Amino acid sequence: MMPLLEVSGITKRFGGLLAVSDVGFTVGEREILGLIGPNGAGKTTLFNLVNGVIKPDKGTVKFCGQDITSHPPNEVVHLGLARTHQIVKPLHGMSVLENVIVGACFGRDYLHLRPARKVAMEVLERVNLADHSDKAASSLTIAGKKRLEVARALAANPKLLLLDEVLAGLNPTEIEYMIGIVRGIRDSGISVFMIEHVMQAIMSLSDRLVVLSFGQKLAEGTPLEVARDPQVIEAYLGDPDIATKLKEKN
Amino acid sequence: MILRHPVLYIILAFAAIMVWLPLHGNNVSLREDLILVAIAVILASNLNLMIGYTGYVNFGHIVFYGLGGYIGLYLAAEKGWNLVLAALLAGVGVSLFALVLGLGILRLRGAYFALATIGILVAVQSFVANFDPWGRSTGLYVSFDAYEKLGGARHALWVTYFLVIAVMALSMILSLGIKMSKFGLGLFAIREDEGAAVVLGVNTTVYKAIIYSVSAFLPAVAGALMFYKNGMIDPSIAFEFMLSLEGIVMLMLGGKGTVIGAALGGGLYEKLRSYLLTSPKLSNFHLVIAGGLLLVVVLFAPGGLIGWLYKAVPRSRKVLE
Ligand SMILES: Nc1ncnc2c1ncn2[C@@H]1O[C@H](COP(=O)(O)OP(=O)(O)O)[C@@H](O)[C@H]1O
Ligand SMILES: [Mg+2]
C-alpha cells in the first residue's frame, strides 16, 4: 500500500548548521509515528520542511503520492496535511471559535463561513473547549492554547496531522486528557506524526518511532526496538558506555 | 446576511442625513463642509481595510486618491468623458496599479512595508510632476464650460456632492461586507499572525494584494470626483503626505478594525481640523494637535472611540461592527 507521507533525503542547512541531514521516513494510513530527539535535533525544522514553511536544500516530500516539496503551507493544508505549532500561535484578538473557523474555512474542504462554524463547534466539543468558544484566544491557559492548536488543525479535516509537542507544559491530568484526544484522532481515521518529549506518552501512543539527533536519523522502529537501541540511549543520556553498562546490568 | 445587519441601516441613515442636511435650505457652505467630512470617511474607511483588517500600515494611501484625481480629471475635463465613467475608470486603473504594486511590496513586513509605502508616494508624486500630459507641476484644470454637461457649475457641485456621499456609503458597506465574509476572516488571520494564517491555509500573498487593490478603488473614485469639483489638480495637493498621515490619525481615533470607528474618526477629525484651520489662533497648530491626538490614542485608548465604547458597553460589540 502507498504510504500517506513519504519523505526522502531531506536536507536543510542554516548557515553553518546542518539542521536536518538526509532524513527519510514514511507515515502510513491510520498510523501514529512518533518523532523524538534531544532539543535542537531538528525536529521542528523537519515539520517545517514537510509542510512547506521552509524549503529544503535537497530531498523530496510526497503526500498521497503527490510531490509537495516546497509547496507553500496553504496549499499543503488544502491537500489534507495540517499541523500545530510547538510555540503556540493563537490568533490573539479573535475568539476561540473564530480561530477554529479559520481552520475549517481554509482547510481541505475550503468551507463557507456557515458550515465552517458548524464544523468548528464540533471540533471544539471534541477537544473540550466548547465552553470557551466565545472567549478571546489570548485568554486561554497554555493547556487551552495547545488544545486550540489541535482544534484548528483538526477543523481542516486533514488526512495527516503533525503535532509538535502538544504535551509540553501540561500537568499530568491535562497530559492524560490530550493523550485521549490523540487516540481519538487516530481512531477517526487520521494519521498522526508527532514530536514529543514526554517519553511515557510517546512510547505508549506511537506505532513506530523515528529518532533524530543533530539533524540525522539515528534510529527507527517500534517503541520497544528504539528504547533498546544503544545509539539512542547514548544520544539521550550522553554517556557512550551507558548502553553496555545497561546490558551488563541485565 | 448583510441585509439583516443593523450597521447597514446605520450607514444608510448616515448617508441620508448627509444628503438631507445641506439640501434642506440649500445650504451651500454646509455642503462644502460635509463633502470634506465624506472624503475623510472614505479615506479612513478604505485605509482601515489595510491597517485595521490586515495589519499593514500604509503611509502612502493618499496616492490612490491623487492618482484617481488625475485620471478622472484628465478623462472628464481633457477628453470630455462622462464624469461617472471617468471616475469609475480612474478607480479601475488605480486598483490595477495597486494590484501589481502590491504583489511586489507586500512581501515586506512591518516597518519595511510602511517605509515602502512612503517611497511609493514620493515616487508617484515626482513622476506626475514630470509627466507632460498631466501638466507637470502646474497640473490640470477644468475649463468652466466642462461643467455645462452637468447642467452648469452650480448644478455640477450638487451632483458631485451626491456622488461623493454615495462613494462614502459604498466605502462603509464594502467595509461591512468584507468584515462579514470569509475573505475578511482570512484578512483578520493575517493581521493576528501571518505565519499562522498561511499554515491554516490562507493564501496570504493573494489576499494581501487583493485587499491592497480593493482599498485603492473607492479613494480613487472619490479623488476623481473631488478634484473635478475643485476644478484643478496639481502634484502637491494631489499627493499630500500630511493628509496621508491624518488618515491614520482618523482611523486610530475612531477605532481601527471597525466600520463605524473608521467613519466616526474620519468625520470627527475632519470637523476638528476645519475648526482649527479656521480659528485664527490655532490654524498653525492643527498638525501639532493631530500628532498629540495620535499619541494619546495609541497610548491610552488603542481601540479608539469604538474600543472605548466596547469596554464601557460590552453589548455594543455585538451590534456595532
Ligand atoms: N529559521 C532558522 N534559522 C536558523 N537556525 C534555525 C532556524 N530554525 C531552527 N534553527 C536551528 O536549527 C536547529 C534545530 O532546531 P529545531 O528544529 O527547532 O529543533 P528541535 O525542534 O528538535 O528542538 C537548532 O539549532 C536551531 O537553532
Ligand atoms: Mg522543536
Side-chain angles (χ1 to χ4, degrees):
Chain A
M1 202 173 66
M2 183 182 72
L4 201 55
L5 180 73
E6 190 177 354
V7 174
S8 48
I10 204 107
T11 301
K12 181 70 194 181
R13 193 179 270 285
F14 292 121
L17 176 80
L18 198 54
V20 173
S21 169
D22 197 23
V23 172
F25 60 90
T26 61
V27 184
E29 304 258 2
R30 286 179 168 261
E31 183 178 34
I32 299 185
L33 179 68
L35 177 61
I36 60 172
N39 269 325
K43 304 181 295 297
T44 299
T45 304
L46 186 57
F47 269 24
N48 287 338
L49 291 167
V50 167
N51 90 317
V53 170
I54 55 179
K55 292 181 179 164
D57 299 327
K58 261 191 266 167
T60 56
V61 181
K62 272 188 179 173
F63 183 62
C64 299
Q66 185 182 347
D67 189 342
I68 59 161
T69 319
S70 301
H71 281 215
N74 55 300
E75 282 177 22
V76 171
V77 71
H78 294 328
L79 294 173
L81 199 168
R83 74 171 283 185
T84 69
H85 297 94
Q86 176 181 358
I87 298 162
V88 291
K89 289 180 178 227
L91 305 170
H92 290 283
M94 296 160 74
S95 73
V96 169
L97 179 63
E98 283 167 334
N99 266 264
V100 185
I101 293 176
V102 173
C105 265
F106 298 96
R108 174 147 72 107
D109 302 330
Y110 217 71
L111 298 174
H112 288 296
L113 277 177
R114 195 179 295 234
R117 170 177 289 267
K118 195 162 157 271
V119 167
M121 274 318 290
E122 285 164 12
V123 172
L124 282 174
E125 296 279 355
R126 233 164 126 182
V127 302
N128 204 12
L129 273 180
D131 293 343
H132 301 273
S133 63
D134 283 339
K135 282 193 190 158
S138 53
S139 73
L140 292 175
T141 61
I142 183 65
K145 283 176 183 157
K146 293 268 176 181
R147 277 191 245 161
L148 178 58
E149 283 281 335
V150 176
R152 273 192 327 200
L154 267 184
N157 188 22
K159 296 182 210 164
L160 172 64
L161 188 57
L162 310 189
L163 301 174
D164 195 345
E165 300 200 23
V166 286
L167 303 179
L170 306 194
N171 69 35
T173 328
E174 291 159 352
I175 288 182
E176 207 51 51
Y177 190 81
M178 189 64 101
I179 288 176
I181 293 176
V182 176
R183 286 224 167 84
I185 290 170
R186 192 259 297 273
D187 293 344
S188 71
I190 300 170
S191 301
V192 176
F193 179 29
M194 64 189 296
I195 298 173
E196 204 45 69
H197 276 305
V198 181
M199 275 307 151
Q200 235 176 334
I202 195 83
M203 288 289 169
S204 73
L205 271 173
S206 307
D207 300 311
R208 282 185 312 126
L209 276 175
V210 167
V211 187
L212 216 56
S213 175
F214 293 108
Q216 289 181 322
K217 189 167 88 173
L218 204 62
E220 182 176 3
T222 64
L224 217 59
E225 287 163 3
V226 166
R228 284 186 185 146
D229 189 314
Q231 272 190 299
V232 174
I233 299 168
E234 184 189 321
Y236 264 86
L237 301 175
D239 181 348
D241 297 326
I242 193 99
T244 26
K245 282 181 199 158
L246 279 175
K247 265 186 204 153
E248 278 166 12
K249 265 195 184 167
N250 291 343
Chain B
M1 269 295 280
I2 194 165
L3 284 178
R4 269 192 263 147
H5 205 291
V7 170
L8 177 67
Y9 297 95
I10 296 177
I11 296 169
L12 294 177
F14 177 46
I17 292 170
M18 291 282 277
V19 167
W20 183 77
L21 277 178
L23 205 54
H24 171 76
N26 197 13
N27 191 337
V28 172
S29 82
L30 180 63
R31 182 195 68 203
E32 293 308 298
D33 281 352
L34 290 181
I35 199 168
L36 293 177
V37 169
I39 292 289
V41 172
I42 293 166
L43 293 179
S45 293
N46 287 282
L47 184 59
N48 191 26
L49 301 177
M50 283 302 288
I51 299 184
Y53 285 17
T54 320
Y56 274 74
V57 180
N58 184 353
F59 278 106
H61 192 241
I62 203 70
V63 92
F64 304 143
Y65 180 68
L67 271 181
Y70 264 101
I71 298 175
L73 212 141
Y74 180 74
L75 293 177
E78 307 262 311
K79 300 281 163 199
W81 282 42
N82 168 297
L83 177 62
V84 173
L85 220 64
L88 284 177
L89 199 86
V92 171
V94 174
S95 284
L96 286 176
F97 168 72
L99 187 66
V100 174
L101 202 62
L103 285 169
I105 64 164
L106 284 158
R107 283 168 221 277
L108 304 171
R109 302 226 179 145
Y112 296 100
F113 173 78
L115 281 176
T117 61
I118 297 176
I120 287 165
L121 179 59
V122 174
V124 169
Q125 187 174 29
S126 14
F127 172 80
V128 171
N130 290 292
F131 190 52
D132 254 342
W134 287 356
R136 295 172 161 262
S137 51
T138 29
L140 299 173
Y141 291 83
V142 186
S143 68
F144 207 71
D145 43 85
Y147 294 121
E148 288 307 322
K149 260 184 281 171
L150 293 174
R154 188 191 299 260
H155 198 235
L157 291 175
W158 280 108
V159 171
T160 46
Y161 178 71
F162 296 138
L163 289 173
V164 168
I165 297 299
V167 173
M168 179 198 77
L170 283 176
S171 293
M172 294 178 73
I173 293 169
L174 177 72
S175 289
L176 180 64
I178 290 177
K179 189 158 195 181
M180 293 171 66
S181 70
K182 176 172 166 174
F183 178 59
L185 187 72
L187 297 178
F188 294 159
I190 293 173
R191 174 188 72 195
E192 296 299 326
D193 188 329
E194 194 165 339
V198 70
V199 166
L200 289 168
V202 181
N203 190 336
T204 52
T205 315
V206 168
Y207 269 50
K208 288 188 295 183
I210 290 179
I211 197 64
Y212 186 65
S213 169
V214 166
S215 80
F217 182 73
L218 289 169
V221 173
L225 297 171
M226 192 62 185
F227 286 105
Y228 182 81
K229 178 198 89 81
N230 289 343
M232 57 110 26
I233 190 167
D234 72 41
S236 63
I237 54 167
F239 307 108
E240 204 184 340
F241 184 51
M242 279 308 151
L243 198 52
S244 233
L245 290 185
E246 286 177 278
I248 296 176
V249 178
M250 295 171 194
L251 192 54
M252 297 302 294
L253 174 68
K256 64 175 171 13
T258 63
V259 180
I260 300 283
L264 193 65
L268 283 180
Y269 181 83
E270 177 50 43
K271 289 312 278 178
L272 177 71
R273 184 172 87 135
S274 53
Y275 167 75
L276 292 174
L277 281 176
T278 49
S279 134
K281 282 200 190 116
L282 296 171
S283 66
N284 291 321
F285 285 104
H286 95 270
L287 288 174
V288 177
I289 292 174
L293 204 58
L294 183 60
L295 215 59
V296 169
V297 171
V298 169
L299 286 175
F300 301 110
L305 289 168
I306 289 291
W308 173 81
L309 181 69
Y310 281 175
K311 267 200 196 118
V313 191
R315 281 184 57 187
S316 64
R317 192 182 288 266
K318 293 227 185 301
V319 187
L320 296 179
E321 293 284 354

